[in-house]
Amino acid sequence: MKFRFIAAGILLTFLFSCGEKPDLTPREGYVTATGGRIWYRITGTGTGIPMLMLHGGPGVPSYYLNPLRALGSDRPVIFFDQLGCGRSDRITADSLMTVPNFVSQVEMVRKSLGINKFILYGQSWGAMLGVEYYLKYPDQVNALILSSPYLNTTMWQDDARILIATLPDSIQE
């Protein structure tokens, strides 16, 4: 008799935990993180694996990624402005302007929305941030998409020097 109660308890726990899906209905709101509130918007009504968007910058808000809302016919698409950008709070302490802090912001958004597995899309600085997030939390990321990635400062500076050298002298100054 005791075994039946234990087995029933285990089965109920399993059934309730397996059926939980995050509420990713279209909406916007804020997530509280170290340093302030992070604004997010969920778009789309598709049922596929959610996609979390990381914008470039740092300092550029996510609005320029809005054309990617069209992916919402297949899956929830989550946009957010990193601290110091767009509709999120301003960063008031320089000590918060670190890659580990920005990685923790991504994790706070993921946890707050209850997402377990997702596609991570990063553009420019967001691509570098996406790689750093993936290196720390590989089990959360189903796929990583890098758009115009910034991955190496030295190479970026070398490329910038080459491009600047093609400009007229007055503009180079």
Side-chain angles (χ1 to χ4, degrees), residues 7-19:
I10 292 170
L11 179 61
L12 285 173
T13 302
F14 176 76
L15 290 174
F16 282 110
S17 66
C18 288

Side-chain angles (χ1 to χ4, degrees), residues 164-165 167-173:
I164 290 169
L167 299 170
D169 290 342
S170 61
I171 295 175
Q172 287 184 38
E173 293 299 317

Side-chain angles (χ1 to χ4, degrees), residues 138-161:
D139 294 338
Q140 306 304 327
V141 179
N142 191 66
L144 179 61
I145 300 171
L146 306 177
S147 169
S148 189
Y150 165 82
L151 299 174
N152 181 290
T153 301
T154 303
M155 289 175 68
W156 184 88
Q157 289 173 329
D158 291 345
D159 287 345
R161 279 189 208 94

Side-chain angles (χ1 to χ4, degrees), residues 15-28:
L15 290 174
F16 282 110
S17 66
C18 288
E20 290 181 32
K21 287 190 110 180
D23 175 16
L24 296 177
T25 55
R27 68 179 185 280
E28 48 183 278

Side-chain angles (χ1 to χ4, degrees), residues 97-171:
M97 295 191 71
T98 66
V99 171
N101 188 55
F102 283 101
V103 168
S104 73
Q105 289 176 38
V106 177
E107 181 64 358
M108 289 300 301
V109 170
R110 181 197 71 79
K111 281 183 174 179
S112 293
L113 297 177
I115 302 168
N116 290 321
K117 283 283 202 181
F118 63 98
I119 298 167
L120 188 56
Y121 175 97
Q123 198 282 321
S124 189
W125 148 263
M128 188 280 304
L129 180 57
V131 168
E132 291 293 325
Y133 180 88
Y134 174 75
L135 292 173
K136 186 165 184 179
Y137 301 103
D139 294 338
Q140 306 304 327
V141 179
N142 191 66
L144 179 61
I145 300 171
L146 306 177
S147 169
S148 189
Y150 165 82
L151 299 174
N152 181 290
T153 301
T154 303
M155 289 175 68
W156 184 88
Q157 289 173 329
D158 291 345
D159 287 345
R161 279 189 208 94
I162 290 168
L163 293 172
I164 290 169
T166 67
L167 299 170
D169 290 342
S170 61
I171 295 175

